[in-house]
Amino acid sequence: MSDSLCLPDRRQFMQYMGAAALGTVVSPGIGNAALARFQPGPAGGPGASSTSLKDVASQKGLLFGSATNATHLQEDKDYANLIAQQCAIITPANELKMRYLRPNPNAFKFDVGDWMLNWAQSHGMKMRGHALVYGEDAALPPWFNGYVNRNNAKDVMVKHISTVVRHYAGKLHSWDVVNEALQGADLRDTPWMKFVGPDYLEIAYRTAGEADPNATLVYNENNIEFAAQDNKRNGTLKILNGLLSKKAPIHALGIQSHLRWEMGGFEPGKMRKFLNQVSDLGLKIFITELDCHERDNDVKIDDRDRTVAQYYADYLGTVLENKNATVVQTWNLTDRYTWLSQQAPRRDGQAVRPLPFDQSLSPKPTFDAMVKAFEHAPSR
Ligand code: XIL
């Protein structure tokens, strides 16, 4: 969300599809041959697939899960069953953001987050924390702008991180401590950057590490997978190297992975090189928010689904070659509740289909692509 929304470019999209058809951006073993075997997902709604992504993933030492929302888990039983059947880990999509935890500058409200943690644990699942320091307006409380300034911003940030991380200490899989700090190669002009300064990252990670010394702390970023985003990959490496050289606690890179053709396509070679640079630092790699924008591609649903599945196949095939990649999480699991319905609706008015399960909770070709990618991944 930090990068300006590029207008979808039909030409670039067609180029991507052309390249995919020729096999030039297809990962070995998980490309066109696998797609050729795709059958439309079985009809029959919830539970129609007896395969679960979490089980296939776990055979390779991978943790599979999804972002989700408390209200959907509470109000939609079929959906909750699907999440429980398919996922080994969940992430509250909004409920642990400052906006939702902080009704006013002096109060913390943990009831919804606690409910989600309890739901996850009672279904044998883990939960990730997302996101402590996030400069996006939609993540900040309504009182933030009138209250936070140069004089109190550091105290506000430190109090927020230490209280929230202590509350959940020992109970979460990992925390996204800072989310989307970059604009290209440079630190983005968020309120945290403006009021605390560039040291805010180091302060944030140290504060989180002190509040829960055993927590797995993640830096989470968007749009770093696209071929054209060399700047952002370099900026990410600079952040990671900076934290490590100051001995601030940082354990993993979260790659959001909201795949988008209009961002200029994806190149396995560049991605492999970047992932090796990250794993050479001793960091784990988490795919944290996988989905696929599909504003303009094709019109027929079968073609659209194949195209999305192909992108997932290429992407997962490449990332999972790196054995430090240990978590794969989609940003919700079904088209019924995708944030892209609002964020990036199709221009032709049809509903978007960015996720492995459709609106009726039946698996799609993307589900098959994920199963195959997990099956082809080396063990870790
Ligand atoms: C999104 C949620 O899914 C939406 O419900 C909300 O309106 C806006 O935020 N990157 C992130 C997530 O790190 O926090 C965002 O979540 C999606 C983009």
Side-chain angles (χ1 to χ4, degrees):
M1 302 239 296
S2 64
D3 286 334
S4 55
L5 258 177
C6 301
L7 280 179
D9 181 328
R10 182 81 190 160
R11 185 181 49 81
Q12 281 179 344
F13 167 69
M14 294 312 287
Q15 269 172 2
Y16 172 84
M17 290 313 294
L22 292 170
T24 51
V25 293
V26 175
S27 311
I30 315 177
N32 291 335
L35 257 185
R37 294 196 299 272
F38 282 158
Q39 300 297 320
S49 167
S50 55
T51 310
S52 86
L53 290 168
K54 71 174 175 189
D55 290 343
V56 188
S58 81
Q59 280 167 22
K60 298 300 171 69
L62 286 163
L63 199 59
F64 173 76
S66 172
T68 185
N69 294 98
T71 48
H72 300 145
L73 292 175
Q74 286 161 356
E75 291 165 11
D76 185 341
K77 199 162 176 294
D78 290 341
Y79 167 77
N81 286 342
L82 183 74
I83 293 281
Q85 182 207 40
Q86 294 291 325
C87 298
I89 185 165
I90 57 166
T91 297
N94 290 315
E95 292 84 344
L96 296 185
K97 290 172 180 166
M98 197 178 190
R99 184 179 190 93
Y100 299 86
L101 288 179
R102 305 297 303 279
N104 65 60
N106 302 311
F108 289 80
K109 188 176 170 294
F110 290 113
D111 54 345
V112 183
D114 290 356
W115 183 88
M116 291 184 87
L117 177 61
N118 186 46
W119 188 88
Q121 289 173 337
S122 65
H123 289 84
M125 303 159 91
K126 298 178 195 288
M127 188 164 104
R128 300 192 68 241
H130 172 84
L132 295 164
V133 180
Y134 188 12
E136 195 65 40
D137 281 344
L140 295 171
W143 51 263
F144 190 92
N145 280 335
Y147 180 84
V148 179
N149 56 46
R150 213 169 281 280
N151 298 324
N152 66 5
K154 185 176 154 195
D155 290 345
V156 170
M157 186 182 84
V158 166
K159 179 181 167 191
H160 180 75
I161 295 173
S162 53
T163 309
V164 176
V165 174
R166 267 199 210 110
H167 181 85
Y168 288 109
K171 296 178 181 157
L172 298 183
H173 167 272
S174 52
W175 262 114
D176 292 337
V177 179
V178 177
N179 192 33
E180 300 178 5
L182 287 168
Q183 179 76 42
D186 303 316
L187 288 182
R188 184 181 163 201
D189 187 25
T190 66
W192 304 113
M193 173 66 176
K194 198 161 67 189
F195 295 142
V196 185
D199 287 347
Y200 86 89
L201 284 124
E202 186 189 343
I203 299 167
Y205 283 86
R206 282 199 198 290
T207 307
E210 280 160 21
D212 181 1
N214 296 318
T216 297
L217 304 182
V218 184
Y219 174 64
N220 198 44
E221 188 51 273
N222 65 11
N223 298 340
I224 39 183
E225 57 277 7
F226 305 112
Q229 299 285 317
D230 292 312
N231 280 345
K232 209 158 198 186
R233 280 187 288 277
N234 290 337
T236 300
L237 289 169
K238 206 168 148 196
I239 286 179
L240 299 176
N241 274 308
L243 290 169
L244 288 168
S245 71
K246 290 173 191 146
K247 304 217 175 333
I250 168 87
H251 310 107
L253 172 66
I255 304 180
Q256 289 188 9
S257 313
H258 296 290
L259 306 176
R260 281 161 75 172
W261 289 282
E262 69 267 24
M263 292 294 290
F266 156 73
E267 241 177 65
K270 283 194 173 186
M271 195 62 186
R272 261 182 218 121
K273 183 177 164 213
F274 171 71
L275 295 171
N276 287 338
Q277 288 170 312
V278 175
S279 53
D280 284 350
L281 295 174
L283 300 174
K284 297 283 188 217
I285 295 160
F286 300 165
I287 293 178
T288 50
E289 306 187 14
L290 181 61
D291 59 15
C292 187
H293 287 232
E294 51 126 32
R295 282 197 118 164
D296 279 337
N297 63 335
D298 297 315
V299 174
K300 281 201 286 186
I301 281 180
D302 283 357
D303 295 339
R304 287 167 52 195
D305 284 355
R306 260 167 199 275
T307 306
V308 170
Q310 180 71 62
Y311 207 158
Y312 272 71
D314 294 347
Y315 185 68
L316 288 175
T318 300
V319 177
L320 297 182
E321 285 171 13
N322 190 306
K323 292 191 181 181
N324 277 30
T326 52
V327 176
V328 175
Q329 189 184 252
T330 47
W331 204 244
N332 225 311
L333 192 61
T334 143
D335 301 336
R336 187 179 286 188
Y337 297 124
T338 172
W339 73 305
L340 294 174
S341 303
Q342 278 95 48
Q343 176 70 17
R346 282 180 66 85
R347 286 168 212 280
D348 63 10
Q350 294 185 52
V352 292
R353 299 173 63 83
L355 288 163
F357 289 84
D358 70 11
Q359 298 243 7
S360 62
L361 310 185
S362 294
K364 299 188 301 184
T366 291
F367 173 87
D368 300 333
M370 296 188 80
V371 169
K372 289 191 174 78
F374 294 157
E375 285 172 351
H376 280 83
S379 294
R380 60 215 64 214

